[in-house]
Amino acid sequence: MKKILDERLIYEILSVVEEIPQGSVATYGQIARLIGREKNARLVGRVLGMAEYYGSYPCHRVVNHAGRLVPGWNEQRQLLLEEGAILKDESHFWADSHTML
């Protein structure tokens, strides 16, 4: 059985994350669609959860489909604010302001 998560796929996901402009966000689903795996948003999240082992990537610029920030990752909000992102409330990105796609 073929492994779903190989290094080529990991770097493909991370290369998309690397392209998200400062102050903007993308969703897990958008990234999955960009790599041709539209039903694998959770896989994107899994990869981002271990991204630190592969280098430095702006994973803080990735939110869920509703614009919600990662629960328990308090630094994400601050990093987005420092980049000029507009937040709707304490835990949601303002979807109409600076989305990647």
Side-chain angles (χ1 to χ4, degrees):
M1 185 172 177
K2 185 179 176 186
K3 254 181 18 178
I4 293 176
L5 193 57
D6 62 18
E7 289 215 354
R8 182 195 57 76
L9 177 58
I10 291 167
Y11 282 111
E12 189 173 2
I13 291 168
L14 293 175
S15 70
V16 172
V17 171
E18 200 168 42
E19 296 298 318
I20 304 170
Q22 260 191 339
S24 299
V25 298
T27 66
Y28 299 101
Q30 287 174 322
I31 294 169
R33 281 191 298 280
L34 285 170
I35 64 164
R37 292 175 164 256
E38 67 242 7
K39 297 192 184 284
N40 291 136
R42 288 184 183 191
L43 176 67
V44 171
R46 183 174 166 202
V47 167
L48 297 185
M50 58 187 197
E52 65 187 282
Y53 300 110
Y54 293 91
S56 180
Y57 296 91
C59 298
H60 64 281
R61 297 179 187 153
V62 182
V63 297
N64 80 355
H65 69 282
R68 189 183 77 197
L69 306 179
V70 177
W73 186 20
N74 301 326
E75 296 85 9
Q76 182 182 23
R77 180 179 184 280
Q78 187 59 39
L79 289 167
L80 286 170
L81 288 173
E82 288 172 7
E83 292 184 353
I86 300 169
L87 299 178
K88 181 167 68 172
D89 58 35
E90 290 294 311
S91 61
H92 290 82
F93 181 81
W94 191 259
D96 295 336
S97 58
H98 296 90
T99 53
M100 181 183 156
L101 302 175

